[in-house]
Amino acid sequence: MNQLALPTEDAATLAQLQDCEQVDLLLPDMNGLLRGKRITRDTLEKVYRDGVCLPMSLIATDITGNTVEETGLGYDIGDEDRLCRPVPGSLRPVPWHERPSAQLLLQMEDGQGGLFHANPREVLRRVLDGFRELDLTPVVAVELEFYLLDAALDAQGRPQVARNPATGERNHSTQVYYIQDLDDYRGFTDEVSAACQAQGIPADTAVAEYAPGQFEINLRHRADALRACDDALMLKRAIKAIAAKRGLMASFMAKPFADQAGSGAHIHVSLLDKDGRNIFACTPDAPSDPLRHAIAGLQRASADCMLVFAPHANSYRRFVLNAFVPLNDAWGFNNRTVAMRVPHSDPANVRIEHRIAGADANPYLVTAAVLAGMLQGLRDKGDPGPPTVGNAYEQGEHRELFWRDTLRDFLASDFVARHFGESFRHIYGQQKLKELRSFHREVTTLEVDWYLRQV
C-alpha cells in the first residue's frame, strides 16, 4: 500500500500492523451503535482516497436497526448512499479479534462538500465552534458505568450478574469501591487495560461501583472533546467485545435491575482560555462567575435536552430516590446528590461533573448538549442559585420524568434548534418517536400479570 495516501498518524499505525488482515469501518449512529463495513487490508488505501458509500439512513436507524421513514432519510430520497471518509488519526488495532484486525472511524458527508449535519460527531463539532468564537477550549472526560452479566438470561428471561471468576458464585451484596472485586475480575480488567493501551484509549482507573457486578473504567481528560467522545465509544466497544470473549455480557443499559443502581455517563468539563488558564478556577466559598454562569446554562438546558440524556424507555427507570441519580437541577461542591457537581480539587483544576445522562446515551450528543448548555450560560450570564449543601434529595422538588414528555420538549425546543439545527431536531425526534410508539405497542408480562385474570 502507498503509505502517502494515509494521514501521517494513520500511516504510522498501519506500519506497525504488518499482519493486519481486515479493517472494521465504524460509523456511530444516533443511538451510539457502531454500524459500517468490514474490508480487507488491501482495500484500505481506496477508502482513504475515495471514501466508502453507506446509506444515509444508517445515521438514524432505530434501536432495532430499522430505517425510520419519518426522518425523511429512507424511501423519500430513495434510501440514498452518502460518501463516508475516515476520521484522521482513528486507525487502531483490534487486539481481541482472532484474525489480526484494525478499526477506523468514519464520518458521513452531505453530498455538497460538507459533513452530514445529523451525524452525532458533526453535531458536537458545531457546538465546539461556539467556544472557538470565545477563545475557549473545553477539556472533557467521559465516565461510563456498566454491568458485567452472565451471557445467558435466567429462567424468567431476566439478566443475571455474572459468576465471580474467583468464587464461582454470583455476588448479591453491594461493595462499592471494593478492591477484592477488582482482584476477582482482574483477568477481565487487565485485558481491557491492554486493549486500551494498544488503541491509545487513555483509560486510567477501574472501580467497583454501587451494585453487584457493576464497574466503571475512567478516561483521562482531553483538550479535544471530539477525541474524548471517540475514546468513550471505543472503550465501550472494547469492554463489550472482551466480555463476550470471556463468555460474559457487558451491558451499558441504564437500569438492568429494578432494585439496583443504574449506570450513568458522567461528563467532566473545564474551560481553558487562550492562555491555557481554567476560567472556572475558584474555591467553594467564592465560586467564580464563569462557573456559576455555565451551571445556570446547564440548568436551563436540562429539560430541552433530557431526551439526549435519557434516550430510551429504560432510561427513565434510573431516576429513583437515593440512587446517586439527580432528581432536580441542584448543583454543589463535592456533592454526589446533585445534578451538576463540582468535584473536590485544587482551585486551578475546578471542573463541572454533569451527572444526569445514562450510560445508554450517545456520548457525542450528551457532550454536545452539556457544552451547548454551558455556552448559552456563559453568554446569558445566568444565576444558578446557591450551591446545595447536604442531601439534595431532601431539598427542592423532585422532577418526574416520562419519555413522552421529554420527546415533546425536545421537538418544541428552540434551544435544540439553535445549537444542533432544526434538521437534527427533526431527525432525532422522529427516530425517538418511532421507538416510543413501537415500545408502547407491545403487551408486557406485567400487564398480563395485572390484568389478564383480574379485569
Side-chain angles (χ1 to χ4, degrees):
M1 177 183 293
N2 178 6
Q3 300 282 318
L4 296 178
L6 278 65
T8 302
E9 186 177 350
D10 290 342
T13 299
L14 190 63
Q16 298 172 8
L17 301 175
Q18 296 297 327
D19 59 348
C20 176
E21 299 176 6
Q22 60 187 21
V23 181
D24 291 339
L25 306 179
L26 307 175
L27 180 69
D29 72 6
M30 286 185 172
N31 280 317
L33 276 63
L34 296 173
R35 305 192 183 275
K37 294 182 176 181
R38 180 167 293 166
I39 62 171
T40 57
R41 177 193 174 110
D42 57 10
T43 311
L44 187 58
E45 184 180 14
K46 183 178 184 299
V47 172
Y48 277 97
R49 185 182 65 242
D50 302 329
V52 60
C53 284
L54 290 171
M56 198 176 187
S57 58
L58 280 185
I59 287 291
T61 46
D62 68 17
I63 196 66
T64 68
N66 289 311
T67 298
V68 179
E69 293 298 336
E70 293 83 354
T71 63
L73 302 181
Y75 291 141
D76 284 352
I77 59 171
D79 202 15
E80 292 181 358
D81 280 345
R82 284 289 183 269
L83 272 179
C84 299
R85 297 188 187 275
V87 173
S90 66
L91 183 66
R92 293 290 184 269
V94 180
W96 56 81
H97 274 181
E98 291 183 5
R99 296 178 62 188
S101 304
Q103 66 185 31
L104 180 66
L105 275 176
L106 299 178
Q107 48 195 356
M108 182 175 282
E109 297 185 348
D110 61 7
Q112 299 173 346
L115 294 174
F116 182 37
H117 51 269
N119 185 328
R121 206 173 186 274
E122 179 62 12
V123 171
L124 175 55
R125 189 196 308 275
R126 289 200 305 275
V127 173
L128 291 171
D129 288 341
F131 286 93
R132 279 188 280 274
E133 293 171 4
L134 299 179
D135 286 327
L136 295 174
T137 301
V139 177
V140 174
V142 181
E143 292 178 353
L144 293 172
E145 297 168 337
F146 63 97
Y147 275 89
L148 270 184
L149 305 173
D150 199 308
L153 302 177
D154 68 15
Q156 288 73 45
R158 311 292 294 180
Q160 50 187 345
V161 173
R163 294 187 183 277
N164 185 305
T167 67
E169 302 293 329
R170 302 189 198 281
N171 293 351
H172 296 292
S173 63
T174 296
Q175 295 282 1
V176 64
Y177 282 58
Y178 190 38
I179 294 297
Q180 186 63 55
D181 279 350
L182 294 180
D183 288 342
D184 292 349
Y185 286 90
R186 185 164 186 167
F188 168 77
T189 57
D190 281 356
E191 189 169 358
V192 171
S193 179
C196 288
Q197 185 172 4
Q199 294 191 320
I201 299 171
D204 66 358
T205 307
V207 297
E209 270 294 342
Y210 200 66
Q214 190 184 43
F215 295 87
E216 179 181 88
I217 296 178
N218 295 338
L219 294 162
R220 292 193 296 274
H221 59 269
R222 281 192 188 270
D224 182 336
L226 288 168
R227 290 291 295 272
C229 293
D230 294 343
D231 292 339
L233 215 58
M234 296 305 101
L235 174 62
K236 184 175 178 179
R237 184 181 196 225
I239 288 171
K240 290 173 78 73
I242 291 167
K245 180 181 173 183
R246 292 174 169 268
L248 305 171
M249 174 170 48
S251 178
F252 292 79
M253 185 176 175
K255 188 79 168 178
F257 300 102
D259 57 349
Q260 297 291 350
S263 293
H266 301 156
I267 311 298
H268 293 250
V269 184
S270 57
L271 294 177
L272 305 183
D273 65 17
K274 61 183 178 181
D275 298 316
R277 292 188 293 260
N278 180 9
I279 68 169
F280 291 161
C282 65
T283 58
D285 57 343
S288 70
D289 284 340
L291 178 74
R292 294 175 57 257
H293 298 331
I295 291 172
L298 289 171
Q299 290 173 332
R300 293 175 184 175
S302 63
D304 296 66
C305 295
M306 190 58 67
L307 187 66
V308 170
F309 303 143
H312 306 296
N314 177 259
S315 306
Y316 297 84
R317 305 198 189 284
R318 181 172 154 264
F319 294 94
V320 295
L321 190 64
N322 298 328
F324 294 105
V325 181
L327 300 181
N328 53 36
D329 60 5
W331 74 283
F333 287 86
N334 198 15
N335 188 336
R336 284 188 171 86
T337 68
V338 300
M340 276 68 73
R341 172 184 178 236
V342 182
H344 176 73
S345 71
D346 61 82
N349 292 305
V350 167
R351 66 191 186 275
I352 297 171
E353 179 191 15
H354 187 275
R355 297 175 57 82
I356 297 176
D360 57 338
N362 184 318
Y364 298 110
L365 297 181
V366 171
T367 302
V370 169
L371 292 180
M374 293 170 67
L375 183 63
Q376 193 65 51
L378 292 172
R379 289 171 173 165
D380 294 344
K381 301 187 185 306
D383 180 4
T388 296
V389 177
N391 188 350
Y393 297 126
E394 297 178 349
Q395 304 176 48
E397 295 184 4
H398 292 171
R399 179 170 48 195
E400 284 195 284
L401 295 174
F402 299 97
W403 199 12
R404 188 180 298 277
D405 295 341
T406 61
L407 178 56
R408 179 201 61 216
D409 293 343
F410 181 89
L411 286 170
S413 171
D414 292 334
F415 176 88
V416 170
R418 182 166 62 253
H419 288 279
F420 301 160
E422 291 185 10
S423 179
F424 172 82
R425 182 180 66 178
H426 168 76
I427 293 171
Y428 186 76
Q430 291 304 313
Q431 179 203 50
K432 291 299 154 191
L433 182 58
K434 170 72 177 302
E435 292 179 358
L436 181 147
R437 287 171 173 166
S438 298
F439 182 84
H440 284 292
R441 278 199 297 267
E442 295 294 320
V443 177
T444 67
T445 55
L446 185 60
E447 291 171 88
V448 173
D449 291 343
W450 281 14
Y451 307 126
L452 187 64
R453 293 176 59 86
Q454 284 80 350
V455 298

